[in-house]
């Protein structure tokens, strides 16, 4: 039986500033990467619902992350499972010295990875 995960919907008002347009310090690619690190077996629909993007946007973002080498996809039955590749460097020249693993450690909820 396929395990069902509760869906958490995003309230866009929670991420906007004083009536302005919504924004985040992380790009959409970064948000998907962070989400996949914590939820490697979620479906595109579950990711979409949690982050507030369309399934088509999530599919494109995941495809980009796979093409960059940051995420690896494997099939488990009829579903996909996502694995983060922590030794992959971030893409932008100003942060190319930072690996995906260091980014994920720095954003852990308990702050254990922050130095």
């Amino acid at each position: 039986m396929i395990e069902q995960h509760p869906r958490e919907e995003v309230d866009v008002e929670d991420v906007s500033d004083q009536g302005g347009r919504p924004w985040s310090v992380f790009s959409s690619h970064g948000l998907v990467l962070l989400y996949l690190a914590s939820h490697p077996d979620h479906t595109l629909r579950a990711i979409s619902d949690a982050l507030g993007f369309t399934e088509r946007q999530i599919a494109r973002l995941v495809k980009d992350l796979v093409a960059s080498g940051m995420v690896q996809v494997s099939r488990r039955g009829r579903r996909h499972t996502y694995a983060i590749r922590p030794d992959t460097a971030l893409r932008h020249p100003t942060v190319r010295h930072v690996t995906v693993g260091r980014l994920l450690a720095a954003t852990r909820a308990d702050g254990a990875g922050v130095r």
Side-chain angles (χ1 to χ4, degrees):
M1 173 154 255
I2 296 174
E3 181 182 345
Q4 294 294 321
H5 297 280
R7 294 191 181 146
E8 305 166 11
E9 294 195 19
V10 173
D11 181 2
V12 178
E13 297 300 318
D14 288 345
V15 293
S16 65
D17 64 331
Q18 308 273 324
R21 67 186 184 116
W23 67 276
S24 172
V25 72
F26 289 105
S27 71
S28 51
H29 287 86
L31 291 172
V32 172
L33 181 67
L34 293 171
Y35 188 86
L36 289 175
S38 298
H39 306 91
D41 58 342
H42 276 196
T43 63
L44 293 179
R45 170 171 261 174
I47 300 166
S48 163
D49 289 345
L51 297 179
F53 299 118
T54 66
E55 285 184 60
R56 179 174 278 181
Q57 288 173 306
I58 296 296
R60 181 182 55 80
L61 295 166
V62 169
K63 182 178 177 182
D64 290 347
L65 291 168
V66 169
S68 74
M70 293 181 190
V71 174
Q72 183 176 359
V73 181
S74 59
R75 283 189 76 86
R76 183 180 297 165
R78 294 180 2 186
R79 298 184 65 161
H80 289 109
T81 299
Y82 304 96
I84 304 301
R85 301 186 64 200
D87 293 334
T88 307
L90 299 180
R91 293 175 46 113
H92 196 275
T94 60
V95 290
R96 199 165 279 150
H97 64 283
V98 178
T99 64
V100 169
R102 280 186 58 200
L103 173 69
L104 294 174
T107 57
R108 283 181 48 178
D110 61 8
V114 180
R115 297 178 214 212

